C-alpha cells in the first residue's frame, strides 16, 4: 500500500502543482493534501469501508543460527 506522502506527491504531479524533479511538496500543498486525506479516511471509517486484518505465522528458530531474514531477502 502506498504511503500517504506518495499519494500526495503523485496527486500533485498529476495536477501540475509539482515538477518531476521536486522531491517534496510545498508546505501549503502538503497541508491541503493532508486535510483532504484525513477527510477521506474519516469518511471511509464512518461508512465501514476500511478493513483491518491480523495475520499470524509461527517460525522455528535454530539455536546455532545467528541471524534471520523475514520477508524478501537479497
Amino acid at each position: 500500500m502506498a504511503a500517504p506522502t506518495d499519494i500526495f506527491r503523485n496527486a500533485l504531479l498529476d495536477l501540475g502543482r509539482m515538477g518531476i524533479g521536486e522531491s517534496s511538496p510545498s508546505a501549503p500543498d502538503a497541508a491541503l493534501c493532508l486535510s483532504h486525506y484525513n477527510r477521506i479516511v474519516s469518511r471511509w471509517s464512518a461508512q465501514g469501508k476500511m478493513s483491518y486484518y491480523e495475520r499470524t505465522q509461527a517460525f522455528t528458530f535454530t539455536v546455532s543460527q545467528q541471524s534471520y531474514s523475514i520477508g524478501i531477502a537479497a
Side-chain angles (χ1 to χ4, degrees), residues 4 8 18-19 28 34 38 43-44 46 49 51 54 61-65 67-68:
F8 301 165
M18 275 182 66
L34 184 61
N38 285 335
R43 188 173 300 153
W44 287 344
K49 293 188 178 182
S51 63
E54 186 175 327
F61 294 99
T62 306
V63 176
S64 61
Q65 189 169 343
S67 67
Y68 294 90

Side-chain angles (χ1 to χ4, degrees), residues 2-3 6 9-10 19 23 25 28 33 35-36 40 42-44 48 50 55-56 58 60-63 65 70-71 74:
D6 295 330
R9 186 175 186 284
N10 290 336
S23 61
C33 287
S35 172
H36 284 289
I40 289 170
S42 293
R43 188 173 300 153
W44 287 344
M50 298 294 281
R55 186 172 171 178
T56 59
T60 304
F61 294 99
T62 306
V63 176
Q65 189 169 343
I70 296 176

